[in-house]
Amino acid sequence: MPPFKDEHVLIIAPGSQTTLAQLGLPESFTPARLRISTRMFPAEKAGEWEPLKVREKKVRKAVAGVATNGIDGVDIEMDDAPEGELHEAEEETIYEEDPSTDEGAIYPLQDGRVTNWSCFFALLTHVYNTLSPPFHTPILLVAQPAWTEQDHETLTQFFFEKFKTPAFCLMDSALAVCYAYGVPTATIVDVGYSKCDVTAVNDFLINHLGRGIAISGCGGEGMTQRLLELLESKGFTRDMCEQLKKSNICEVLSPSTPLPEEGDSGKVTTNPAALTSTVMNGSSAVARGSIASQGGFASAVGAGPAIVEDDLDGNVKDGENDDGVLDVASIVASGKTSEFLAKKEREKAEKAAAKKAAADAAAAPRRLPNSQRVKATLHYDERRSLDDLNGNGKRANEPEGAAEGGDSKRQRTPELVGEGDISSISRKEERRRNRGTSMFVRKDIEVGIERFRAADAGILDQIADSIHRCLLSVPEVGKRSELWDSLIILGNGSKVRGKILPSTLAICMLTLAPHQGFKDALIATLTSKYLISPSSATIFTSELPSNFSTPLATGANTPQPQSQFQGQLGHHGPGVNPLLLAATTASNPTLAPPGGHQHLHSQLQMQQYHQQQHSSHGQSPTSIKVAKMPEYFSEWKDVGTEEAVFLGAQVAAKVVFIVDQGLSKGFMSRSEYNDLGPQGIHEFGL
């Protein structure tokens, strides 16, 4: 088989709402170049699918016998033509695509599971034809955790039979995230559209026992439905709640952050600089009082130049002696009396201006952050068809001055399109397609504290419980602490912003960027429910083996190992330490009792077993940390890490198809498919 080239590798990562794809591996891995909606529309013929909605449209057709002036679509009837040549215009049915509607769309992936195979195959074919790869193209498909082994075989057969690909690789999405972050052991929390997946990866091996697969209701759609439940009585629609969730005013607060109240918004918050200025002024007053108590003369308010001036720095000013009293004789003798008085007046004016500025700053209220405001304004962009608007861009049922003086504003492009931000090329394509069919009208809507309650329906608690159960199912107890310290939270459902208190960050020992929102709230929930302090007494009792009883303060219940061999120890007694006995009898074996060596060996093995079982605190973590993605992927800094699964797919494709060339059975070749069939895909992959 000839080696594969970087520009021929095809990567497809299907999701419930958006499918990412790219042909070729750039030198520096970038976000996906192709983003399309994971949906198809039924075609006119049964069993066929279209990527866009096709609508029927009636148009007038020019017929013979009617004279025209040569301009398309404009018919001019000749009044002096014979009656036999005049015919009525006929209507013709044409079909046009409508890219702005979801009416009748079929989404083949529901909660990560394939619910319509015919539609899903049509979607994959549409992606393949859009990128138009060459014949010698290997394909890497990112698999969802909910896909079964039978689903893997079905997809393998489809790609080999439909596209005649020379090599095919199926890669789990959780494993792709580990490749993106460059960590072999991590806990992956993927928050998607309508579900959440929790996976523990140990040394690039997925722990299927206890894996949280497709936890329903814990995705972005669950938060949208929660906002709709709270705001539906106020006239909000689902589209309004979706844009509210993606806006900057919607936050997911940590459990310890109280919601703002009506009384808090009216309070005036002073500037911290004013408090500092007040303290400094107070210290000066104390200094002046101390000078007066020592026999000096305090300056009166409104009087002339002060006789006594306090210097906080301890330096002697010009014209003053060591006691801080002006030496009038030396000033007059120097001949610079006018310059000295001007300097004093200038210093006095500067102090007055500084005091006035501090007073103004203290009186001016500081703008409250969004998390402390009771109400905020949502800029809602409503899509309107041109049929509902008149020629001036106003609504047909609105008065003449509504668009000019009202709150509604026209905007041709939305701020947020789809599930996430799309590339500039995709935005231009969206504007081009929607230019003649619809436009956007902006409205300003006031929202209350409901914008902070998007995740208060138990979503965070449910995900936290799934993480705890998943890590408790890891067979290697010593790896559980490392899994708690390598937590990765991603997915477009986790992009809701928010604020966390600094005290919670100190407890968690985290290093996070500000305003992570959903991620911070999830970490705070894990901290409050499962994190224990290293100084807690439960740590030491958990280290005791299971055959030891818990010691009491009286000393009567001192833990002693119980064994059937204790009667053979003779005069050593039942409370002898086996380690001490082994040390004393090592140099002189004759001191050991009959059968003592066998008993000591079994006792030491039991202690070593318990030490292995309790080498770390597997039940509850002592620290929770979030893994950080490498910074050398510069193209991903502005985009974010929510779609890091595609970055990991590019890294894996580079390793499997280009570097490894199939030596470690990372992909299935065409010849191997012919020999083993679709069932052979289980022997290949990462």
Side-chain angles (χ1 to χ4, degrees):
M1 179 187 300
F4 299 112
K5 297 182 180 180
D6 292 347
E7 58 269 17
H8 292 167
V9 177
L10 175 61
I11 303 174
I12 303 176
S16 298
Q17 292 292 303
T18 305
T19 296
L20 310 178
Q22 180 172 297
L23 177 62
L25 298 175
E27 294 183 2
S28 179
F29 298 137
T30 60
R33 298 176 182 175
L34 177 64
R35 298 173 57 94
I36 62 175
S37 298
T38 310
R39 67 184 184 187
M40 297 295 288
F41 296 87
E44 184 178 4
K45 186 177 179 180
E48 296 184 357
W49 303 88
E50 296 288 344
L52 297 175
K53 178 68 175 179
V54 178
R55 298 185 180 275
E56 296 183 359
K57 185 177 181 181
K58 302 292 185 179
V59 296
R60 296 173 62 88
K61 180 181 178 181
V63 296
V66 179
T68 63
N69 61 351
I71 302 177
D72 295 339
V74 180
D75 298 338
I76 302 177
E77 296 184 359
M78 306 299 294
D79 295 337
D80 55 350
E83 296 182 0
E85 297 182 3
L86 294 177
H87 301 278
E88 294 182 359
E90 297 180 358
E91 289 186 351
E92 181 183 8
T93 302
I94 63 174
Y95 299 90
E96 62 179 7
E97 296 179 344
D98 186 2
S100 62
T101 182
D102 292 339
E103 180 184 356
I106 302 297
Y107 290 84
L109 291 180
Q110 299 291 336
D111 291 341
R113 299 179 175 89
V114 182
T115 58
N116 193 321
W117 281 103
S118 176
C119 181
F120 188 52
F121 288 155
L123 174 69
L124 295 176
T125 304
H126 172 61
V127 173
Y128 188 89
N129 295 334
T130 301
L131 296 175
S132 186
F135 181 76
H136 192 68
T137 298
I139 300 177
L140 186 145
L141 181 67
V142 179
Q144 292 289 330
W147 292 356
T148 62
E149 293 184 356
Q150 185 178 359
D151 296 341
H152 293 176
E153 297 174 5
T154 303
L155 290 168
T156 302
Q157 182 179 2
F158 171 76
F159 276 95
F160 275 110
E161 299 295 339
K162 177 70 175 180
F163 305 124
K164 311 297 181 182
T165 177
F168 178 70
C169 175
L170 267 175
M171 185 179 191
D172 194 280
S173 60
L175 194 59
V177 175
C178 292
Y179 273 79
Y181 278 76
V183 291
T185 301
T187 303
I188 313 300
V189 183
D190 190 354
V191 185
Y193 174 72
S194 59
K195 51 88 179 178
C196 175
D197 297 317
V198 181
T199 308
V201 181
N202 183 15
D203 292 335
F204 292 111
L205 295 177
I206 297 176
N207 181 42
H208 296 278
L209 182 63
R211 185 180 188 183
I213 298 177
I215 306 173
S216 181
C218 294
E221 178 63 17
M223 289 182 276
T224 303
Q225 293 297 328
R226 176 58 179 169
L227 291 175
L228 181 61
E229 179 183 350
L230 296 172
L231 297 171
E232 189 175 10
S233 59
K234 298 182 179 181
F236 275 68
T237 62
R238 185 196 175 280
D239 185 58
M240 291 181 180
C241 295
E242 181 70 18
Q243 292 193 26
L244 172 61
K245 181 188 69 176
K246 297 177 181 179
S247 65
N248 293 330
I249 65 174
C250 180
E251 297 186 15
V252 178
L253 305 179
S254 62
S256 57
T257 304
L259 294 177
E261 299 178 357
E262 290 291 343
D264 298 339
S265 61
K267 295 180 181 179
V268 177
T269 305
T270 57
N271 192 347
L275 300 177
T276 307
S277 176
T278 304
V279 173
M280 293 300 297
N281 293 337
S283 63
S284 300
V286 173
R288 283 191 290 269
S290 62
I291 294 174
S293 63
Q294 296 176 1
F297 298 92
S299 59
V301 179
I307 304 284
V308 179
E309 290 288 340
D310 57 325
D311 190 1
L312 297 179
D313 297 335
N315 299 326
V316 180
K317 296 183 179 180
D318 296 339
E320 297 180 358
N321 56 16
D322 295 340
D323 296 332
V325 181
L326 292 177
D327 191 354
V328 181
S330 61
I331 296 175
V332 176
S334 62
K336 299 180 179 180
T337 306
S338 58
E339 290 84 352
F340 179 79
L341 294 178
K343 180 180 178 181
K344 288 295 182 181
E345 290 293 336
R346 186 168 57 252
E347 292 177 356
K348 185 177 180 180
E350 291 177 356
K351 289 183 179 181
K355 290 182 180 180
K356 183 179 179 181
D360 295 342
R366 182 172 57 92
R367 183 177 180 181
L368 293 174
N370 178 61
S371 59
Q372 299 179 10
R373 285 183 289 172
V374 178
K375 295 182 180 180
T377 302
L378 168 67
H379 303 294
Y380 171 62
D381 296 324
E382 181 184 9
R383 182 189 292 271
R384 303 284 296 178
S385 62
L386 294 182
D387 297 337
D388 298 337
L389 303 173
N390 57 18
N392 295 329
K394 308 170 186 175
R395 295 190 183 185
N397 55 355
E398 283 185 354
E400 182 70 21
E404 298 178 0
D407 295 336
S408 300
K409 299 180 181 179
R410 292 187 292 121
Q411 182 175 340
R412 295 185 177 273
T413 56
E415 294 181 354
L416 295 174
V417 179
E419 194 173 354
D421 296 334
I422 60 177
S423 61
S424 58
I425 299 178
S426 301
R427 287 196 294 266
K428 292 180 181 179
E429 183 68 16
E430 183 76 11
R431 288 195 297 267
R432 185 188 65 82
R433 289 180 177 180
N434 299 337
R435 188 173 298 156
T437 59
S438 62
M439 64 189 310
F440 288 89
V441 178
R442 169 162 290 188
K443 298 179 180 179
D444 293 336
I445 304 175
E446 195 174 57
V447 188
I449 61 174
E450 295 86 0
R451 67 187 189 275
F452 302 125
R453 302 175 58 187
D456 66 348
I459 295 178
L460 297 175
D461 293 333
Q462 192 172 355
I463 296 177
D465 294 342
S466 299
I467 295 174
H468 188 250
R469 288 194 303 267
C470 179
L471 297 186
L472 284 182
S473 303
V474 177
E476 299 184 23
V477 182
K479 288 288 186 179
R480 295 178 185 176
S481 59
E482 185 177 355
L483 290 170
W484 280 109
D485 291 339
S486 301
L487 198 64
I488 300 177
I489 306 174
L490 74 160
N492 288 323
S494 64
K495 296 176 68 174
V496 183
R497 68 187 295 269
K499 180 181 180 182
I500 187 171
L501 294 181
S503 58
T504 308
L505 283 175
I507 296 176
C508 299
M509 293 178 291
L510 296 175
T511 305
L512 294 175
H515 300 298
Q516 289 291 319
F518 182 88
K519 302 177 183 179
D520 283 347
L522 180 57
I523 294 297
T525 304
L526 289 171
T527 301
S528 60
K529 297 186 68 172
Y530 302 113
L531 188 69
I532 58 177
S533 174
S535 60
S536 176
T538 57
I539 295 293
F540 303 101
T541 57
S542 65
E543 295 293 337
L544 296 175
S546 58
N547 63 341
F548 278 12
S549 59
T550 305
L552 298 179
T554 59
N557 199 13
T558 303
Q560 298 291 341
Q562 304 295 330
S563 176
Q564 59 180 350
F565 299 102
Q566 288 182 355
Q568 303 177 2
L569 296 179
H571 64 280
H572 294 284
V576 67
N577 190 336
L579 296 178
L580 179 59
L581 181 61
T584 55
T585 59
S587 59
N588 193 356
T590 58
L591 298 178
H597 290 290
Q598 297 179 358
H599 169 61
L600 290 176
H601 181 68
S602 61
Q603 193 78 349
L604 290 175
Q605 285 184 344
M606 182 179 296
Q607 288 190 1
Q608 291 176 0
Y609 170 77
H610 286 297
Q611 287 178 1
Q612 293 176 0
Q613 293 295 321
H614 299 274
S615 60
S616 63
H617 314 293
Q619 298 296 326
S620 298
T622 57
S623 65
I624 301 176
K625 299 180 182 179
V626 176
K628 186 178 181 181
M629 195 171 71
E631 298 181 354
Y632 44 77
F633 297 113
S634 57
E635 289 80 1
W636 289 83
K637 292 183 179 180
D638 299 333
V639 178
T641 61
E642 285 77 16
E643 295 179 353
V645 60
F646 195 81
L647 172 61
Q650 295 181 75
V651 177
K654 181 75 172 182
V655 174
V656 172
F657 294 125
I658 308 302
V659 179
D660 186 70
Q661 291 288 336
L663 296 178
S664 60
K665 291 188 176 182
F667 61 86
M668 188 177 188
S669 64
R670 178 71 184 182
S671 59
E672 292 167 340
Y673 173 78
N674 295 334
D675 296 338
L676 303 176
Q679 295 78 10
I681 190 62
H682 306 302
E683 301 179 7
F684 301 88
L686 300 173

